[in-house]
Amino acid sequence: MPPEQRQDAPDAGLSTQRVVAEAVRLADREGVDGLSMRRLAGVLDAGAMSLYHYVANKEELLDAMVDTVFDEIELPSDGVDWQSAMRRRAVSVRSVLARHRWAIGLLESRTSPGPANLRYHEAVIACLRKAGFSVAMATHANWLLDSYVYGFALQEAGLPFDTTDELAHMAEDVYLPQLPPDEFPYLNESAAALAAAGQGPDEEFTFGLELVLAGLESVRASAQPDG
């Protein structure tokens, strides 16, 4: 039975929403690998067996957690052009995944998608189809955009810095000393340029996203009847 259809025990002091929300907070703090029903029950100060009234097993819990993440993503709007809608959607996904890094590898892995998951994917495909993409090209575009955003989020999660200033410091004080110009001339000049540019992941994300959107627009426009 889906979590949203379970009836809460009136004397349990818990609810499906509270169990899932606490599981998300726990995963945010400690990652999802260590998440267990026993660990979650301890955080909730409840008996481990009592949680099974709200979620049947860990897989159902993960489905509900992933659905919570999807519910935080801004859906594409009908009031803007498709590129603006996909741009805002991509920025929102990146922001949500920065809060829930454990979810990066799980968003597309669930075989029992929840309502927020389905609403999100339906809205994305609907935006692309209404913009003139064929069924096949809308599918390609969706995969390409997700691959870029999820891949960037995964790489960003492992970076050894959080801010542009920290990146500049690392490029100048950590990387450059390890890159003598006579041995690594191209890496040296790249690190030096990075240190001087004052740019970071935000700018790199935008640069790549605009290339993806421009490429998809070229394909979309060339497929129109008027050529």
Side-chain angles (χ1 to χ4, degrees):
M1 181 184 296
E4 65 273 9
Q5 295 180 11
R6 294 182 181 277
Q7 296 298 314
D8 297 338
D11 58 346
L14 296 175
S15 68
T16 300
Q17 292 74 21
R18 184 184 171 202
V19 169
V20 174
E22 193 57 54
V24 169
R25 284 192 287 270
L26 183 60
D28 289 345
R29 293 194 304 270
E30 304 178 10
V32 75
D33 290 341
L35 177 65
S36 67
M37 301 298 276
R38 183 175 298 277
R39 175 78 176 94
L40 179 58
V43 172
L44 288 165
D45 195 24
M49 295 305 297
S50 67
L51 299 188
Y52 292 100
H53 179 80
Y54 307 99
V55 287
N57 48 50
K58 184 176 178 180
E59 287 303 305
E60 188 174 277
L61 176 63
L62 288 173
D63 285 339
M65 292 167 65
V66 167
D67 210 52
T68 296
V69 174
F70 271 115
D71 199 42
E72 295 182 22
I73 300 173
E74 179 180 348
L75 298 182
S77 172
D78 287 334
V80 296
D81 64 276
W82 80 269
Q83 289 190 68
S84 296
M86 289 297 103
R87 186 179 296 111
R88 290 173 60 174
R89 191 265 296 205
V91 170
S92 179
V93 172
R94 180 186 172 217
S95 177
V96 169
L97 290 179
R99 295 195 296 271
H100 308 297
R101 291 182 172 179
W102 56 269
I104 295 174
L106 292 176
L107 289 190
E108 304 302 333
S109 71
R110 312 315 298 164
T111 57
S112 299
N117 186 330
L118 293 174
R119 282 195 303 271
Y120 169 79
H121 285 94
E122 174 71 9
V124 171
I125 295 297
C127 177
L128 295 169
R129 291 287 288 122
K130 291 175 183 179
F133 287 92
S134 67
V135 174
M137 279 309 305
T139 301
H140 293 326
N142 183 40
W143 273 76
L144 177 58
L145 285 162
D146 280 352
S147 296
Y148 175 72
V149 178
Y150 295 163
F152 194 97
L154 182 61
Q155 178 177 331
E156 190 173 22
L159 292 175
F161 52 82
D162 294 317
T163 67
T164 300
D165 288 342
E166 290 176 358
L167 171 58
H169 162 70
M170 293 202 68
E172 184 172 7
D173 299 332
V174 178
Y175 298 137
L176 268 174
Q178 303 178 66
L179 302 171
D182 57 335
E183 189 175 359
F184 304 106
Y186 297 108
L187 285 175
N188 180 280
E189 68 179 5
S190 180
L194 189 63
Q199 296 183 345
D202 288 349
E203 290 78 15
E204 295 301 329
F205 180 77
T206 299
F207 177 81
L209 179 60
E210 292 305 320
L211 286 181
V212 172
L213 292 174
L216 289 173
E217 172 57 18
S218 177
V219 172
R220 187 199 69 84
S222 68
Q224 297 305 305
D226 57 9

